[in-house]
Amino acid sequence: MQGPSCSVRQSLVRRLEASLRSPVQSHSSRCRSSAATTTTKPSAFVLRSKTAASQFSSPLLPRPRLFSQTPRARSKQPAEDPNFSSILDNPPQLVRTGGRRHGPGLIVLAIIPVTAFLLGSWQVQRLGWKTDLIAKFEDRLVREPLPLPPRIDPDAIHDFDFRRVWARGRFRHDQEMLIGPRMRDGEDGYMVVTPLERDAEDGGRSADKGAATVLVNRGWISKKHKHQASRDPVSLPKGEVVVEGLLREPWKKNMFTPDNRPDRGEFYFPDVKQMAELTGSQAVWVESTMEPGLLEVMDMESRGIPIGRAAEVNLRNNHAQYIFTWYGLAFATSIMLYMVVKKPPTDISRRVRLNKEWS
């Protein structure tokens, strides 16, 4: 007969065994559940594969192959090629991009300073030539005037250009010619050219007067005194007169001057040979000189008396300005060319190119 103490002890033993057995059962249950999950996934995948295969089980459609069993060909590696070269073995080359370095613009820019330098050097020669020419003419001006011979060789006039001469004779106002328009102090007018008829003596005998006639540029008159009737009678001297002036070479026409029209009495430039043929005189051109004061010039202009030129050399000598201009242009364009050629390329305009040419 068991007492109460014995039953209590048995109940305590059963509780202790239950408490020890519960962790083991929970661990085993977790292991069984994970195994069950692992076993169910392949089966589900197999079921889905079977279901997909059953969808394409139609005799009209080809049955797809779920897994390829054909062995894939092994690709050849680049290192197995004996001609393979690595970028590490071949150093890169820095090249400039963004256009060619030597284009047409650079060629033109290189031609400009050379051309400007040559033109500047040519102007240096012209300056020396013009300076010597002006000095020679000024030397002739300071000499005493020579009497103009009755007959003059046209080829010898070049050696007497700007030489002061004087001649005696009579003006042929009926053969007067006006060359214009010509400006003087901002006013329009004309140059009055009148043949001077001289007496020529040859062995004590009077020769042909026309052979000794020369053309005289008497000076400038205002446009309002174009006609002789509007001038003061003093402007048309009669009888014998003495003319002092400069012997000049025949003038040369430029490309912008129109041709003379002698039939209408229109002369735009002094064509000495043409005027000599019209008047029957020698092809000799004399420019009358005078040095009037300001008040005298104003009086002569109002009365229509021709105003002669001053006895001076009026040749333009601007070659020094041309030298400065051309040499300055050559210097400036040379600096521009240097800056364009020597300008370093920027980081943006560089790129790396593989050099495939082995040395």
Side-chain angles (χ1 to χ4, degrees):
M1 182 173 180
Q2 296 178 352
S5 61
C6 184
S7 61
V8 171
R9 284 195 298 266
Q10 291 178 355
S11 63
L12 292 175
V13 171
R14 284 193 296 269
R15 290 180 181 176
L16 179 62
E17 290 176 357
S19 62
L20 293 175
R21 192 167 42 248
S22 59
V24 177
Q25 292 177 354
S26 62
H27 177 71
S28 61
S29 63
R30 284 197 299 269
C31 292
R32 284 194 301 270
S33 63
S34 62
T37 305
T38 306
T39 55
T40 55
K41 287 185 178 178
S43 61
F45 176 75
V46 172
L47 291 176
R48 285 196 298 270
S49 300
K50 290 182 179 181
T51 305
S54 63
Q55 293 178 358
F56 294 95
S57 61
S58 175
L60 299 178
L61 297 176
R63 183 176 181 181
R65 302 174 62 182
L66 300 179
F67 300 98
S68 176
Q69 299 177 357
T70 304
R72 184 176 298 176
R74 180 174 176 271
S75 61
K76 189 176 182 181
Q77 299 298 326
E80 298 177 1
D81 189 1
N83 297 325
F84 173 74
S85 60
S86 174
I87 190 173
L88 301 178
D89 300 329
N90 194 11
Q93 179 183 4
L94 293 180
V95 296
R96 183 174 181 176
T97 60
R100 296 176 296 177
R101 290 179 59 88
H102 303 286
L106 187 62
I107 296 176
V108 173
L109 186 60
I111 293 175
I112 292 177
V114 176
T115 306
F117 180 81
L118 294 177
L119 291 175
S121 302
W122 176 64
Q123 289 298 328
V124 172
Q125 299 179 359
R126 293 280 296 176
L127 177 62
W129 167 79
K130 183 62 71 66
T131 303
D132 295 340
L133 182 65
I134 293 176
K136 180 173 62 176
F137 290 162
E138 290 179 348
D139 179 69
R140 294 175 183 176
L141 286 176
V142 299
R143 299 182 182 182
E144 292 294 328
L146 294 175
L148 193 65
R151 297 181 182 273
I152 303 173
D153 184 7
D155 297 334
I157 297 178
H158 175 74
D159 299 331
F160 292 89
D161 195 14
F162 277 94
R163 189 66 169 86
R164 293 173 61 191
V165 297
W166 64 272
R168 190 188 304 272
R170 298 175 179 83
F171 282 122
R172 294 291 306 272
H173 298 291
D174 57 329
Q175 296 181 344
E176 180 183 272
M177 293 169 287
L178 300 179
I179 301 176
R182 288 291 186 275
M183 302 294 295
R184 184 180 184 277
D185 296 337
E187 186 173 354
D188 196 4
Y190 300 93
M191 289 194 307
V192 180
V193 180
T194 306
L196 179 67
E197 189 178 78
R198 301 183 297 156
D199 295 333
E201 297 180 358
D202 185 7
R205 294 176 298 175
S206 178
D208 184 13
K209 294 183 179 181
T213 304
V214 296
L215 299 175
V216 178
N217 178 14
R218 298 181 59 197
W220 179 88
I221 62 171
S222 178
K223 185 177 181 180
K224 61 183 180 181
H225 297 298
K226 177 179 180 180
H227 302 286
Q228 295 182 0
S230 63
R231 308 175 199 166
D232 193 294
V234 181
S235 64
L236 304 171
K238 301 183 182 299
E240 191 176 65
V241 295
V242 177
V243 177
E244 181 176 341
L246 302 178
L247 183 64
R248 295 300 313 276
E249 279 190 289
W251 288 47
K252 296 180 180 179
K253 173 190 173 183
N254 56 37
M255 59 183 301
F256 302 103
T257 305
D259 296 330
N260 294 334
R261 306 187 65 177
D263 54 338
R264 296 186 179 183
E266 298 177 357
F267 297 91
Y268 301 100
F269 75 101
D271 190 343
V272 178
K273 294 183 178 180
Q274 183 185 56
M275 292 179 174
E277 293 176 358
L278 292 176
T279 58
S281 62
Q282 300 181 80
V284 179
W285 180 268
V286 179
E287 294 183 353
S288 178
T289 58
M290 60 180 63
E291 296 182 1
L294 178 60
L295 296 179
E296 188 177 357
V297 169
M298 296 175 61
D299 180 66
M300 294 173 64
E301 181 179 350
S302 61
R303 298 167 61 184
I305 301 175
I307 303 173
R309 58 163 296 173
E312 61 184 12
V313 180
N314 57 355
L315 299 180
R316 293 187 300 175
N317 188 9
N318 298 328
H319 298 287
Q321 301 178 11
Y322 301 152
I323 292 173
F324 178 79
T325 302
W326 288 121
Y327 278 157
L329 180 62
F331 179 75
T333 52
S334 298
I335 294 178
M336 294 173 59
L337 179 63
Y338 177 81
M339 294 177 63
V340 171
V341 173
K342 295 298 183 180
K343 181 179 179 181
T346 60
D347 295 337
I348 300 178
S349 62
R350 291 171 180 257
R351 64 183 176 89
V352 179
R353 183 181 62 187
L354 179 63
N355 184 11
K356 296 184 180 299
E357 298 295 334
W358 290 90
S359 58

